[in-house]
Structures are given as C-alpha cells and as structure tokens.
Amino acid sequence: MVFRRRNEQTFWEKLRRTLWPRSGWKRAGQYLWHRIVRLPDDPRRVARGVFAGIFACFGPYLFHDYVIAVGLAWIIRGNVFAALVASCVNNPLTLPLFATLSVTLGQHLLGIGQGLPSWQIVGFFAGAVSDIGHNLWALVSDADMNWLGLTLFFQNIYLPYLLGGTLIGIPAGLGAYAAVLSLVRAYRGLRTARLRARNEALRKNGGQGS
C-alpha cells in the first residue's frame, strides 16, 4: 500500500521521547535558540519573553509553567513565542534540579526544613491533586471533605517552592534577559552587515558588467 497507517506508540515509547527527543536535547536546544534569534520582533520584547519563560521554570507551576510564562510575557509586553520556548528549559531532565533548589531555599528561609528530594516534591503535588479531587467528589457525594493534607502541602511545599522559586527565578530571568538581548542584537547586526556586504558586491559586479 502507498499509504500506511503509522504504528501507535506505546506508553513507554512516548515517555522515552519525552525524556529524550529524537534529535537529542542538544540539537533540540540549538533549534529552539535559532527560532528565538530569528523572531521578527523587537529584541527587547524577545528578551522580555525569555525572562518570563525562565522565571516560570523555577516556580511551583508543575505541568503548566508555560501558562505562567505566557501570562507573564503578556503582562510585561514580551514576545509570547519566546516565553514558550524559554519555558522548555524546564523539562524532565532539569525539573528535579529546579524543584530541589527552589524548595530547599524556600524551606531554609522560612525555617521549616532543609529541603526534599525531587521525587518527594512531585509526590506531594500528586497527593495534593488527589486531595482536591476527593474534596470535589465530596461536594456531590456523602464523603467527608478533608483540607488537612492540602493545608500541610501549602505550608510545607507550595509556599517554600513559591518563595524559593521567585528568589531564584528573578535573577535567572534577568540574566537570561541580558544575555538574549545582547546576542539577538549581535546576531541581527551581523546579518545586516552580511546583507549590506552582499548587496555592495552585487552592485559592484553589476557596474563592472555594464
């Protein structure tokens, strides 16, 4: 047959592709970087978008950090696409490091602990989602609502994560802003110089030919 149906990927194949893209993280990062520097927008807007994306990487926005990145980019008038691309820095490989750093810093500043390993942090988030689901079910059933688990989660995990992530995300985002602004301007300046040199060469060749 000329047209064949693609084989459906299994759960483990999808997971493997999520943890490791087909072209590898290095190639994927290079591709995304080229997309950023070639955006047809003011370099300052592009840099503000990158700031929003990097900032969102460090907060307690597991699995919806891109929503926070887009919202923040819109508020500060940054490039939304650049924010989405920058938020990809928070991926299955970097999430354990970012989460551990943020929670550890937040708990230390609040004086409520010395940090947790990343797998426990994700486990607490899963438990919080389960508790929310249980309480929603209790609204339409005879089950008893229980807010103790969510209260402890907010005090011991979410609040430290939010505090630590904000304190790390702001300087990280500002550093990314400065670097991207400088690199985008340099890239566009180099491209303009090359186009000018090419046009000059074409004009000289045209003059010689005539």
Side-chain angles (χ1 to χ4, degrees):
M1 295 179 63
V2 177
F3 300 100
R4 299 181 61 182
R5 181 181 299 176
R6 291 184 177 182
N7 295 328
E8 289 290 333
Q9 290 185 333
T10 66
F11 169 78
W12 296 110
E13 289 173 338
K14 293 179 179 179
L15 179 61
R16 182 168 60 87
R17 291 302 180 193
T18 301
L19 295 175
W20 193 265
R22 186 184 300 273
S23 59
W25 282 110
K26 182 178 179 180
R27 290 287 299 276
Q30 291 174 342
Y31 170 77
L32 293 176
W33 166 246
H34 286 302
R35 292 295 302 272
I36 286 179
V37 297
R38 294 176 181 177
L39 285 173
D41 202 351
D42 187 296
R44 291 169 297 182
R45 282 177 48 84
V46 174
R48 286 198 294 266
V50 171
F51 166 84
I54 296 299
F55 172 82
C57 289
F58 291 91
Y61 319 117
L62 300 187
F63 312 117
H64 65 282
D65 49 328
Y66 58 93
V67 177
I68 303 299
V70 168
L72 180 57
W74 180 79
I75 292 173
I76 64 177
R77 297 183 179 181
N79 186 281
V80 171
F81 181 78
L84 283 172
V85 173
S87 66
C88 293
V89 171
N90 190 19
N91 56 64
L93 294 182
T94 60
L95 174 60
L97 175 63
F98 292 167
T100 301
L101 288 175
S102 298
V103 172
T104 300
L105 177 60
Q107 288 190 348
H108 176 74
L109 292 176
L110 293 173
I112 59 176
Q114 299 298 322
L116 294 170
S118 58
W119 63 269
Q120 285 190 7
I121 296 172
V122 175
F124 277 114
F125 270 88
V129 172
S130 177
D131 287 347
I132 292 173
H134 170 79
N135 288 336
L136 290 176
W137 171 249
L139 292 174
V140 295
S141 67
D142 295 332
D144 295 328
M145 301 183 70
N146 185 359
W147 297 101
L148 178 61
L150 287 173
T151 301
L152 293 175
F153 165 78
F154 179 80
Q155 293 175 347
N156 297 321
I157 303 297
Y158 193 88
L159 188 58
Y161 202 154
L162 181 62
L163 175 61
T166 299
L167 293 178
I168 297 175
I170 289 177
L174 290 175
Y177 172 89
V180 169
L181 181 61
S182 176
L183 291 172
V184 169
R185 284 176 171 172
Y187 170 81
R188 295 185 181 183
L190 180 61
R191 185 177 61 177
T192 300
R194 287 177 176 175
L195 289 175
R196 187 181 297 114
R198 182 183 302 175
N199 292 334
E200 184 67 22
L202 290 175
R203 185 165 50 252
K204 289 181 179 180
N205 291 334
Q208 293 175 358
S210 60

